[in-house]
Amino acid sequence: MSQQAKPLIRRKDDIEYEDVGAAEGMRKGVLVSEDHGAPNFAIRRFELDPGASVPEHTNEVEHEQYVLSGEYTVGIDDEEYTVSEGDSLLIPAGVVHWYRNEGDEPGSFLCAVPNGDDEIELVE
């Protein structure tokens, strides 16, 4: 029998942001995850500096994203999309995607992923 999750409140000041390895100008903060007792999903917040880009890559798991601020370009498969505050995205598992912020303002988004291993592969 699985243990029931306990309620959790994490305050803004509790979140630590770290640079994302292959992406200069992008930071990630884990808001809620398996480490905090969430049984199924993790929610992360990403910040994308003006001029920053993230190379083409794939993930083993799906991503649901919600744009919090700014405007930036997301490439998914062979299509490019300009996204801004209030937009939502689904990036299926295994699909090539990338990000580019050509604006003067930082962009930020929430990203929900299922718990478990997520292998990230850069596309050559």
Side-chain angles (χ1 to χ4, degrees), residues 54-59 63 74-77 91 95-99:
V54 178
E56 289 187 340
H57 64 283
T58 60
N59 293 76
H63 290 23
V74 181
I76 305 173
D77 258 348
I91 302 173
V95 171
V96 174
H97 57 289
W98 53 266
Y99 304 85

Side-chain angles (χ1 to χ4, degrees), residues 50-69:
S53 63
V54 178
E56 289 187 340
H57 64 283
T58 60
N59 293 76
E60 207 172 299
V61 299
E62 69 190 75
H63 290 23
E64 284 83 14
Q65 297 181 352
Y66 178 78
V67 181
L68 295 169
S69 66

Side-chain angles (χ1 to χ4, degrees), residues 6-102:
K6 292 181 172 55
L8 171 74
I9 303 295
R10 294 194 75 218
R11 302 294 180 186
K12 179 172 63 173
D13 294 341
D14 296 337
I15 311 304
E16 291 182 20
Y17 285 83
E18 57 187 36
D19 291 333
V20 175
E24 193 156 324
M26 180 180 249
R27 284 167 306 290
K28 173 178 81 170
V30 178
L31 307 182
V32 177
S33 74
E34 201 168 17
D35 292 345
H36 307 107
N40 300 304
F41 299 98
I43 300 175
R44 297 110 35 113
R45 183 177 184 272
F46 288 85
E47 298 173 343
L48 190 60
D49 290 340
S53 63
V54 178
E56 289 187 340
H57 64 283
T58 60
N59 293 76
E60 207 172 299
V61 299
E62 69 190 75
H63 290 23
E64 284 83 14
Q65 297 181 352
Y66 178 78
V67 181
L68 295 169
S69 66
E71 182 176 280
Y72 54 91
T73 303
V74 181
I76 305 173
D77 258 348
D78 295 328
E79 297 288 327
E80 285 190 18
Y81 305 92
T82 299
V83 297
S84 57
E85 181 180 333
D87 291 343
S88 301
L89 301 80
L90 169 62
I91 302 173
V95 171
V96 174
H97 57 289
W98 53 266
Y99 304 85
R100 186 176 63 235
N101 185 356
E102 295 173 328

